[in-house]
Amino acid sequence: MKLCKKSIPLSLAQGGPFKKAMHIDSYNFGHIVIDGKSYNQDLLIWPGNLKADWWRRRSHLLQVDDLPEVLAANPEVLVVGKGESGHMQVDQKLASVLKDKGIELVAVPTKEACRIINSLAGKKRLAAALHLTC
């Protein structure tokens, strides 16, 4: 049985219940700092929330079933951090579901994903799926 960690409230977009947009302070292989808090596991982020120690059904394949919170939140953009080397892939079915829902998909290596998130935070309703290692 897999235990889920409780999500942590934070802001990713203006217009939400939080005054300040989230900011990624730094990212290095296996480690990310968001608003001064360190994380060493993959993260799922959707408007107003962050789930630490997030896991996918298949390690390096992001699928629809891995993102129920994100899909329910209906963000404008989903930024996927595919890992430092870009090993995590986005399943074609997920890409199709996102397109049908009008959610823009940006899937890039995690370092670039962090830059994109910081540039869009407070401007768009963001969600992110961040693989921190390979």
Side-chain angles (χ1 to χ4, degrees):
M1 172 187 242
K2 188 159 105 176
L3 298 175
C4 293
K5 299 235 179 182
K6 197 173 189 179
S7 64
I8 301 164
L10 55 94
S11 177
L12 275 127
Q14 87 186 45
F18 305 95
K19 301 287 185 211
K20 179 179 165 271
M22 177 199 80
H23 183 266
I24 298 174
D25 303 323
S26 66
Y27 163 74
N28 291 298
F29 185 90
H31 183 80
I32 193 168
V33 179
I34 300 174
D35 291 331
K37 184 164 172 53
S38 294
Y39 302 92
N40 295 311
Q41 299 91 15
D42 291 356
L43 302 174
L44 184 62
I45 303 168
W46 65 99
N49 294 280
L50 180 149
K51 182 188 280 185
D53 199 19
W54 166 67
W55 291 92
R56 293 157 305 284
R57 288 179 183 256
R58 291 184 54 199
S59 180
H60 287 105
L61 182 64
L62 184 61
Q63 302 175 79
V64 172
D65 291 344
D66 299 321
L67 303 173
E69 301 92 341
V70 166
L71 295 174
N74 200 32
E76 293 175 275
V77 180
L78 170 62
V79 180
V80 176
K82 297 171 48 173
E84 186 172 280
S85 302
H87 287 303
M88 187 172 77
Q89 299 302 308
V90 176
D91 185 68
Q92 287 299 88
K93 182 179 178 186
L94 172 59
S96 180
V97 167
L98 293 170
K99 183 177 180 183
D100 290 347
K101 289 179 69 74
I103 300 171
E104 180 183 351
L105 172 63
V106 178
V108 294
T110 301
K111 188 172 283 291
E112 185 177 347
C114 292
R115 284 192 294 270
I116 291 168
I117 290 165
N118 282 341
S119 72
L120 294 177
K123 299 173 187 167
K124 297 259 188 174
R125 272 182 61 82
L126 293 175
L130 300 176
H131 181 47
L132 301 185
T133 56
C134 51

